[in-house]
Amino acid sequence: MVNFIGRFNVVPSLPEKLEPLREIVYNLFWSWNHDAIELFRRMDRKLWEETYHNPILMLGKINQHRLNEIANDDSFISHMNRVYVQLNIYIEEKSWFQKNYSYEGEKFIAYFSAEFGLSECLQIYSGGLGVLAGDHLKSASDLGIPLVGVGLCYKEGYFQQYLTSDGWQQERYEITDFYNQPMSLVTDLDGAPLKVVLDFPGRKVGVQIWKIQVGRIPLYLLDTNVPENSEDDKKITRTLYGGNNETRIQQEIVLGIGGIRALHLIGIHPVVCHMNEGHSAFLSLERIRQLVEKQELSFDEAKDVGFYSNVFTTHTPVAAGIDIFPNNLVETYFGNYYRNELHIDDRTFYSLGTIIKEEPVHNFNMAHLAMNMAGFVNGVSKLHGTVSKKMWIEGFVDVPFDEIPIDYITNGIHTRSHLSNDMHELIYRYFGDKFLQNPADLELWKHVDEIPDEELWRTHERRRERMVAFARNRLTNQINERGGSASELAFAHEVLDVQALTIGFSRRFATYKRATLIFSDIERLANILGNPNYPVQLIIAGKAHPKDDEGKKLIQKIVAMSREPHLRKKVVFIENYDMNVARYLVEGCDVWLNNPRRPLEASGTSGMKVIANGGLNLSVMDGWWDEAYNSSVGWKIGNREEYDNLDYQDEVESRLIYETIEKEIVPLFYSRGEDKLPRGWIKMMKSSMRQLGPQYNSHRMVEEYAKKFYFTALEKRTSLMYNNWQKGREFTNWKKRLYNNWNKVKFLNISEEEKNGDMKVGLKYPILAEIELGELTPDDIEVQIYYGKIDEGIRGSKSFVTMTQIIKKTKSSRYIYRGEIECKDTGQFGFTLRILPKHTLLINAFELGLIRWA
């Protein structure tokens, strides 16, 4: 191997007239601007596809003659200038945030994620979590939220998938040339790369920083592939979700601790940090360390400050999906850090990695670390919020189930990023400019009813035709690459029917997603697909994790069945699922099939992407569909049942899929009048777009994060910072006083003020309570009556009423409280009383783990 002694970069040589292109291609605003994408296609349509929709690489490969040619093309220059103006107006115009809020400071929110799905040319994502993170940044940009993204820069990214002749998934890892991507190295004034240095066991690890501009939002990616690192350390950020447990903890140290240090080095000091999954939870430790070192706060004071300005979003409904490290590995990497920099003992440190405080700690749970360090915790759908409470109920002893402090914000998608150009033009024509600014506007989506049925249907049919053409071309390439025969190639040109009802299924091939459920009864499926009068077809794509052999077997089974004589041409599996493949499928399918095992789908977003494109959903009542479904917008599989016998569940739900397709979907799709239009189907398309379009998008989602979490966290941290952290110190002292005296808090006497037998609706049931507070005062606590119907069980709906202090007994710490239950409904009710901590800075009354029940 040759060792190079010097380096230099080569950049495209653009004619002067084309200089605006340089600014256009380095801002990913182009990725959701159809006019910009058409500009790139216009330069060289074939090269645009060959470079995997990478404008930087295309500019580097396009020949100088072609550049000179388009520089003298007035029409092209006019098109380029139009896109350039669009970019500048977008950056400079007053945003939603600027119009509605006046918080000071730039980029005061930092959003951390292990992956970001922004464009297919940037291979720094693996699936839904990454695309969700990318959409979060895009909507934050559209809304003008003062946010910055932080992630890792993977040299290989996620694997490229290809199948052997027998359908077994193989992985290929391609090296990414960062200098030919829409990203740039962050440098100092002398042009040298900015680097942070991390202490690893027995060595220092250097990390350089890359920047991707996503509209108004900068995304910083951390990269350990620098000359001064050892060969092993260079590979820390090589592969997304690759390597072993040690690689994973190294990556998460780089992301969390390195991410905070990188932002500070750049000059960004975030007030609020959002952890998208637990991968970045170590950032909470680094924020504490910085406060201890620079503001001279104690560990407890710094932890309290961090708690009220950290947000944690969990995406997994099962414990197996969480990173858990053995204590000996954590000790290797953090022993010096917690002893000498956080100044705490091992018991205190390891307790941060669990929410179950009563048991010895053997492992360090990253989700638990995030929950212990974040005052704002949420799931990603209403159902997932409930599932998360069930999963972590052990950490909330004595807290009623419905009051466990885990919130939810349902995921959404960046509509313009997942909308076909054809549908975008149609919607823009009837919705107007406001659609570009606020796709979450309920009133705006009502205009879908103004679109003529003919226009909507023809637009959707064009997308199905393009999807079929794409599938045939992709299948041809797959066969060529593995040396297929001439007969196989001829077959590839004939798969699928451009007019047939097309059902799509594309997602990660985790076993719980049950990709082969629709193949449970091959004979019945063949009859559905093979009906000559009402043809149906399936198009499928997805990757299994490299170590998931069970997932790979599902792919192999589907490929084998697609070659069966009675299913050939009707079932197609597309290799190497990515954002580009997904785009064609969500834009062209008529029905999107989703059949995970409930309740294991935290949210799911692929089904949201078909909505604005006119597709309809057929799904299990799980994730987002559990709250979105009604009979006018799509179809459901089952009625929220959960089964102990999984084989029986598969049998029941596969039958439901067949019956729904046979009895509801096919008849509606093929019910045509003389004009050949499926009017009933189009009515459902419009209903889905009108009802679901404004709700299941990331503008609504990011607005919710901003209003529920970001701005509240900012205000709380600002309050704690007041007068050189005086309020923060006072608050920590208040907490200590509460913990030290809580054992003295108790109920002495409870009585009903009046006993008149049965109560009538409209009356009030009064209760008196005498309590002992010890060294505490009524300002420190709140006394509540907690009540509800007896027959609703532990998870039934309960209510509480705050009681009022009416008497303090002379020369004692005893107080009398009074409260009333308003009798609104009939039935048998029960009540009890409780005492909770009270402070203006508390996000919820249960975060201290202190509660005294009567």
Side-chain angles (χ1 to χ4, degrees), residues 391-413:
M391 189 163 74
W392 287 315
I393 194 169
E394 288 180 283
F396 300 93
V397 178
D398 289 338
V399 178
F401 181 81
D402 57 334
E403 293 183 295
I404 290 174
I406 298 175
D407 207 335
Y408 78 92
I409 292 178
T410 303
N411 283 344
I413 55 111

PDB file of all heavy atoms in Angstrom, residues 391-413:
ATOM      1  N   MET A 391     -43.934  -0.666  30.006  1.00  0.00           N
ATOM      2  CA  MET A 391     -42.576  -1.213  29.953  1.00  0.00           C
ATOM      3  C   MET A 391     -41.736  -0.736  31.131  1.00  0.00           C
ATOM      4  O   MET A 391     -40.890  -1.470  31.648  1.00  0.00           O
ATOM      5  CB  MET A 391     -41.931  -0.802  28.623  1.00  0.00           C
ATOM      6  CG  MET A 391     -40.599  -1.474  28.341  1.00  0.00           C
ATOM      7  SD  MET A 391     -40.110  -1.356  26.611  1.00  0.00           S
ATOM      8  CE  MET A 391     -39.617   0.339  26.479  1.00  0.00           C
ATOM      9  N   TRP A 392     -41.981   0.496  31.588  1.00  0.00           N
ATOM     10  CA  TRP A 392     -41.137   1.079  32.625  1.00  0.00           C
ATOM     11  C   TRP A 392     -41.881   1.334  33.936  1.00  0.00           C
ATOM     12  O   TRP A 392     -41.461   2.137  34.746  1.00  0.00           O
ATOM     13  CB  TRP A 392     -40.500   2.372  32.097  1.00  0.00           C
ATOM     14  CG  TRP A 392     -39.415   2.086  31.097  1.00  0.00           C
ATOM     15  CD1 TRP A 392     -38.430   1.154  31.215  1.00  0.00           C
ATOM     16  CD2 TRP A 392     -39.212   2.718  29.834  1.00  0.00           C
ATOM     17  NE1 TRP A 392     -37.605   1.179  30.101  1.00  0.00           N
ATOM     18  CE2 TRP A 392     -38.063   2.124  29.236  1.00  0.00           C
ATOM     19  CE3 TRP A 392     -39.872   3.735  29.144  1.00  0.00           C
ATOM     20  CZ2 TRP A 392     -37.568   2.512  28.001  1.00  0.00           C
ATOM     21  CZ3 TRP A 392     -39.387   4.114  27.903  1.00  0.00           C
ATOM     22  CH2 TRP A 392     -38.244   3.508  27.337  1.00  0.00           C
ATOM     23  N   ILE A 393     -42.973   0.628  34.135  1.00  0.00           N
ATOM     24  CA  ILE A 393     -43.806   0.848  35.320  1.00  0.00           C
ATOM     25  C   ILE A 393     -43.036   0.581  36.612  1.00  0.00           C
ATOM     26  O   ILE A 393     -43.306   1.221  37.651  1.00  0.00           O
ATOM     27  CB  ILE A 393     -45.085  -0.023  35.235  1.00  0.00           C
ATOM     28  CG1 ILE A 393     -46.124   0.446  36.269  1.00  0.00           C
ATOM     29  CG2 ILE A 393     -44.758  -1.502  35.406  1.00  0.00           C
ATOM     30  CD1 ILE A 393     -47.497  -0.186  36.069  1.00  0.00           C
ATOM     31  N   GLU A 394     -42.052  -0.326  36.567  1.00  0.00           N
ATOM     32  CA  GLU A 394     -41.282  -0.651  37.776  1.00  0.00           C
ATOM     33  C   GLU A 394     -40.497   0.550  38.304  1.00  0.00           C
ATOM     34  O   GLU A 394     -40.154   0.596  39.487  1.00  0.00           O
ATOM     35  CB  GLU A 394     -40.292  -1.780  37.477  1.00  0.00           C
ATOM     36  CG  GLU A 394     -40.916  -3.142  37.298  1.00  0.00           C
ATOM     37  CD  GLU A 394     -39.853  -4.184  37.000  1.00  0.00           C
ATOM     38  OE1 GLU A 394     -39.378  -4.225  35.851  1.00  0.00           O
ATOM     39  OE2 GLU A 394     -39.483  -4.942  37.907  1.00  0.00           O
ATOM     40  N   GLY A 395     -40.219   1.496  37.448  1.00  0.00           N
ATOM     41  CA  GLY A 395     -39.456   2.666  37.864  1.00  0.00           C
ATOM     42  C   GLY A 395     -40.300   3.734  38.516  1.00  0.00           C
ATOM     43  O   GLY A 395     -39.774   4.777  38.936  1.00  0.00           O
ATOM     44  N   PHE A 396     -41.617   3.515  38.586  1.00  0.00           N
ATOM     45  CA  PHE A 396     -42.514   4.545  39.122  1.00  0.00           C
ATOM     46  C   PHE A 396     -43.394   3.936  40.212  1.00  0.00           C
ATOM     47  O   PHE A 396     -44.614   3.828  40.061  1.00  0.00           O
ATOM     48  CB  PHE A 396     -43.340   5.164  37.988  1.00  0.00           C
ATOM     49  CG  PHE A 396     -42.500   5.825  36.933  1.00  0.00           C
ATOM     50  CD1 PHE A 396     -42.106   5.129  35.800  1.00  0.00           C
ATOM     51  CD2 PHE A 396     -42.068   7.133  37.089  1.00  0.00           C
ATOM     52  CE1 PHE A 396     -41.309   5.723  34.840  1.00  0.00           C
ATOM     53  CE2 PHE A 396     -41.274   7.734  36.129  1.00  0.00           C
ATOM     54  CZ  PHE A 396     -40.890   7.029  35.006  1.00  0.00           C
ATOM     55  N   VAL A 397     -42.752   3.542  41.281  1.00  0.00           N
ATOM     56  CA  VAL A 397     -43.439   2.901  42.403  1.00  0.00           C
ATOM     57  C   VAL A 397     -44.461   3.867  43.007  1.00  0.00           C
ATOM     58  O   VAL A 397     -44.171   5.047  43.222  1.00  0.00           O
ATOM     59  CB  VAL A 397     -42.417   2.473  43.477  1.00  0.00           C
ATOM     60  CG1 VAL A 397     -43.115   1.842  44.659  1.00  0.00           C
ATOM     61  CG2 VAL A 397     -41.397   1.504  42.872  1.00  0.00           C
ATOM     62  N   ASP A 398     -45.658   3.371  43.245  1.00  0.00           N
ATOM     63  CA  ASP A 398     -46.741   4.123  43.884  1.00  0.00           C
ATOM     64  C   ASP A 398     -47.370   5.198  42.998  1.00  0.00           C
ATOM     65  O   ASP A 398     -48.279   5.906  43.434  1.00  0.00           O
ATOM     66  CB  ASP A 398     -46.280   4.792  45.195  1.00  0.00           C
ATOM     67  CG  ASP A 398     -46.040   3.785  46.305  1.00  0.00           C
ATOM     68  OD1 ASP A 398     -46.612   2.684  46.218  1.00  0.00           O
ATOM     69  OD2 ASP A 398     -45.278   4.099  47.232  1.00  0.00           O
ATOM     70  N   VAL A 399     -46.890   5.344  41.767  1.00  0.00           N
ATOM     71  CA  VAL A 399     -47.485   6.340  40.874  1.00  0.00           C
ATOM     72  C   VAL A 399     -48.614   5.673  40.088  1.00  0.00           C
ATOM     73  O   VAL A 399     -48.400   4.634  39.462  1.00  0.00           O
ATOM     74  CB  VAL A 399     -46.433   6.916  39.896  1.00  0.00           C
ATOM     75  CG1 VAL A 399     -47.076   7.917  38.946  1.00  0.00           C
ATOM     76  CG2 VAL A 399     -45.293   7.558  40.670  1.00  0.00           C
ATOM     77  N   PRO A 400     -49.830   6.216  40.106  1.00  0.00           N
ATOM     78  CA  PRO A 400     -50.918   5.645  39.308  1.00  0.00           C
ATOM     79  C   PRO A 400     -50.517   5.550  37.838  1.00  0.00           C
ATOM     80  O   PRO A 400     -49.830   6.438  37.315  1.00  0.00           O
ATOM     81  CB  PRO A 400     -52.060   6.645  39.509  1.00  0.00           C
ATOM     82  CG  PRO A 400     -51.768   7.289  40.818  1.00  0.00           C
ATOM     83  CD  PRO A 400     -50.275   7.383  40.893  1.00  0.00           C
ATOM     84  N   PHE A 401     -50.958   4.488  37.174  1.00  0.00           N
ATOM     85  CA  PHE A 401     -50.506   4.211  35.820  1.00  0.00           C
ATOM     86  C   PHE A 401     -50.710   5.395  34.882  1.00  0.00           C
ATOM     87  O   PHE A 401     -49.814   5.767  34.124  1.00  0.00           O
ATOM     88  CB  PHE A 401     -51.233   2.982  35.263  1.00  0.00           C
ATOM     89  CG  PHE A 401     -50.798   2.616  33.877  1.00  0.00           C
ATOM     90  CD1 PHE A 401     -49.624   1.891  33.678  1.00  0.00           C
ATOM     91  CD2 PHE A 401     -51.543   3.001  32.769  1.00  0.00           C
ATOM     92  CE1 PHE A 401     -49.212   1.559  32.399  1.00  0.00           C
ATOM     93  CE2 PHE A 401     -51.133   2.681  31.494  1.00  0.00           C
ATOM     94  CZ  PHE A 401     -49.961   1.948  31.299  1.00  0.00           C
ATOM     95  N   ASP A 402     -51.904   5.993  34.936  1.00  0.00           N
ATOM     96  CA  ASP A 402     -52.189   7.071  33.985  1.00  0.00           C
ATOM     97  C   ASP A 402     -51.409   8.342  34.290  1.00  0.00           C
ATOM     98  O   ASP A 402     -51.394   9.273  33.479  1.00  0.00           O
ATOM     99  CB  ASP A 402     -53.696   7.375  33.928  1.00  0.00           C
ATOM    100  CG  ASP A 402     -54.273   7.735  35.292  1.00  0.00           C
ATOM    101  OD1 ASP A 402     -53.707   7.299  36.308  1.00  0.00           O
ATOM    102  OD2 ASP A 402     -55.282   8.462  35.333  1.00  0.00           O
ATOM    103  N   GLU A 403     -50.719   8.391  35.440  1.00  0.00           N
ATOM    104  CA  GLU A 403     -49.950   9.579  35.785  1.00  0.00           C
ATOM    105  C   GLU A 403     -48.432   9.369  35.681  1.00  0.00           C
ATOM    106  O   GLU A 403     -47.663  10.270  36.011  1.00  0.00           O
ATOM    107  CB  GLU A 403     -50.318  10.054  37.190  1.00  0.00           C
ATOM    108  CG  GLU A 403     -51.750  10.566  37.283  1.00  0.00           C
ATOM    109  CD  GLU A 403     -52.095  11.105  38.664  1.00  0.00           C
ATOM    110  OE1 GLU A 403     -52.098  10.316  39.616  1.00  0.00           O
ATOM    111  OE2 GLU A 403     -52.349  12.308  38.767  1.00  0.00           O
ATOM    112  N   ILE A 404     -48.019   8.180  35.232  1.00  0.00           N
ATOM    113  CA  ILE A 404     -46.583   7.970  34.987  1.00  0.00           C
ATOM    114  C   ILE A 404     -46.120   9.044  34.003  1.00  0.00           C
ATOM    115  O   ILE A 404     -46.730   9.227  32.950  1.00  0.00           O
ATOM    116  CB  ILE A 404     -46.331   6.547  34.439  1.00  0.00           C
ATOM    117  CG1 ILE A 404     -46.589   5.507  35.536  1.00  0.00           C
ATOM    118  CG2 ILE A 404     -44.908   6.415  33.901  1.00  0.00           C
ATOM    119  CD1 ILE A 404     -46.508   4.075  35.061  1.00  0.00           C
ATOM    120  N   PRO A 405     -45.059   9.768  34.353  1.00  0.00           N
ATOM    121  CA  PRO A 405     -44.693  10.954  33.549  1.00  0.00           C
ATOM    122  C   PRO A 405     -43.979  10.627  32.244  1.00  0.00           C
ATOM    123  O   PRO A 405     -42.832  11.010  32.015  1.00  0.00           O
ATOM    124  CB  PRO A 405     -43.792  11.743  34.508  1.00  0.00           C
ATOM    125  CG  PRO A 405     -43.188  10.719  35.403  1.00  0.00           C
ATOM    126  CD  PRO A 405     -44.224   9.653  35.567  1.00  0.00           C
ATOM    127  N   ILE A 406     -44.672   9.879  31.382  1.00  0.00           N
ATOM    128  CA  ILE A 406     -44.197   9.631  30.018  1.00  0.00           C
ATOM    129  C   ILE A 406     -45.293  10.126  29.080  1.00  0.00           C
ATOM    130  O   ILE A 406     -46.402   9.605  29.071  1.00  0.00           O
ATOM    131  CB  ILE A 406     -43.909   8.139  29.772  1.00  0.00           C
ATOM    132  CG1 ILE A 406     -42.800   7.647  30.718  1.00  0.00           C
ATOM    133  CG2 ILE A 406     -43.496   7.900  28.318  1.00  0.00           C
ATOM    134  CD1 ILE A 406     -42.527   6.157  30.627  1.00  0.00           C
ATOM    135  N   ASP A 407     -44.965  11.131  28.322  1.00  0.00           N
ATOM    136  CA  ASP A 407     -45.923  11.774  27.420  1.00  0.00           C
ATOM    137  C   ASP A 407     -45.845  11.101  26.046  1.00  0.00           C
ATOM    138  O   ASP A 407     -45.154  10.096  25.875  1.00  0.00           O
ATOM    139  CB  ASP A 407     -45.584  13.265  27.323  1.00  0.00           C
ATOM    140  CG  ASP A 407     -46.793  14.122  26.985  1.00  0.00           C
ATOM    141  OD1 ASP A 407     -47.755  13.607  26.373  1.00  0.00           O
ATOM    142  OD2 ASP A 407     -46.780  15.323  27.326  1.00  0.00           O
ATOM    143  N   TYR A 408     -46.538  11.640  25.077  1.00  0.00           N
ATOM    144  CA  TYR A 408     -46.366  11.158  23.697  1.00  0.00           C
ATOM    145  C   TYR A 408     -46.534  12.316  22.723  1.00  0.00           C
ATOM    146  O   TYR A 408     -47.259  13.277  22.977  1.00  0.00           O
ATOM    147  CB  TYR A 408     -47.370  10.045  23.362  1.00  0.00           C
ATOM    148  CG  TYR A 408     -48.774  10.545  23.055  1.00  0.00           C
ATOM    149  CD1 TYR A 408     -49.166  10.832  21.749  1.00  0.00           C
ATOM    150  CD2 TYR A 408     -49.695  10.749  24.069  1.00  0.00           C
ATOM    151  CE1 TYR A 408     -50.444  11.306  21.463  1.00  0.00           C
ATOM    152  CE2 TYR A 408     -50.965  11.205  23.803  1.00  0.00           C
ATOM    153  CZ  TYR A 408     -51.337  11.489  22.499  1.00  0.00           C
ATOM    154  OH  TYR A 408     -52.597  11.965  22.222  1.00  0.00           O
ATOM    155  N   ILE A 409     -45.797  12.244  21.634  1.00  0.00           N
ATOM    156  CA  ILE A 409     -46.008  13.112  20.467  1.00  0.00           C
ATOM    157  C   ILE A 409     -45.942  12.192  19.257  1.00  0.00           C
ATOM    158  O   ILE A 409     -44.908  11.566  18.994  1.00  0.00           O
ATOM    159  CB  ILE A 409     -44.947  14.224  20.366  1.00  0.00           C
ATOM    160  CG1 ILE A 409     -45.112  15.236  21.504  1.00  0.00           C
ATOM    161  CG2 ILE A 409     -45.040  14.934  19.011  1.00  0.00           C
ATOM    162  CD1 ILE A 409     -44.081  16.356  21.521  1.00  0.00           C
ATOM    163  N   THR A 410     -47.030  12.066  18.549  1.00  0.00           N
ATOM    164  CA  THR A 410     -47.083  11.148  17.417  1.00  0.00           C
ATOM    165  C   THR A 410     -46.190  11.648  16.285  1.00  0.00           C
ATOM    166  O   THR A 410     -46.190  12.831  15.960  1.00  0.00           O
ATOM    167  CB  THR A 410     -48.531  10.989  16.923  1.00  0.00           C
ATOM    168  OG1 THR A 410     -49.345  10.543  18.022  1.00  0.00           O
ATOM    169  CG2 THR A 410     -48.615   9.969  15.796  1.00  0.00           C
ATOM    170  N   ASN A 411     -45.429  10.728  15.713  1.00  0.00           N
ATOM    171  CA  ASN A 411     -44.530  11.069  14.617  1.00  0.00           C
ATOM    172  C   ASN A 411     -45.281  11.660  13.432  1.00  0.00           C
ATOM    173  O   ASN A 411     -46.500  11.513  13.308  1.00  0.00           O
ATOM    174  CB  ASN A 411     -43.764   9.831  14.150  1.00  0.00           C
ATOM    175  CG  ASN A 411     -42.627   9.466  15.083  1.00  0.00           C
ATOM    176  OD1 ASN A 411     -42.205  10.267  15.911  1.00  0.00           O
ATOM    177  ND2 ASN A 411     -42.123   8.253  14.947  1.00  0.00           N
ATOM    178  N   GLY A 412     -44.520  12.268  12.552  1.00  0.00           N
ATOM    179  CA  GLY A 412     -45.064  12.787  11.305  1.00  0.00           C
ATOM    180  C   GLY A 412     -43.996  12.726  10.231  1.00  0.00           C
ATOM    181  O   GLY A 412     -42.846  12.373  10.499  1.00  0.00           O
ATOM    182  N   ILE A 413     -44.366  13.064   9.006  1.00  0.00           N
ATOM    183  CA  ILE A 413     -43.404  13.057   7.891  1.00  0.00           C
ATOM    184  C   ILE A 413     -43.334  14.443   7.265  1.00  0.00           C
ATOM    185  O   ILE A 413     -44.301  15.204   7.301  1.00  0.00           O
ATOM    186  CB  ILE A 413     -43.771  11.997   6.832  1.00  0.00           C
ATOM    187  CG1 ILE A 413     -45.214  12.198   6.330  1.00  0.00           C
ATOM    188  CG2 ILE A 413     -43.639  10.597   7.409  1.00  0.00           C
ATOM    189  CD1 ILE A 413     -45.353  12.650   4.927  1.00  0.00           C
TER     190      ILE A 413
END
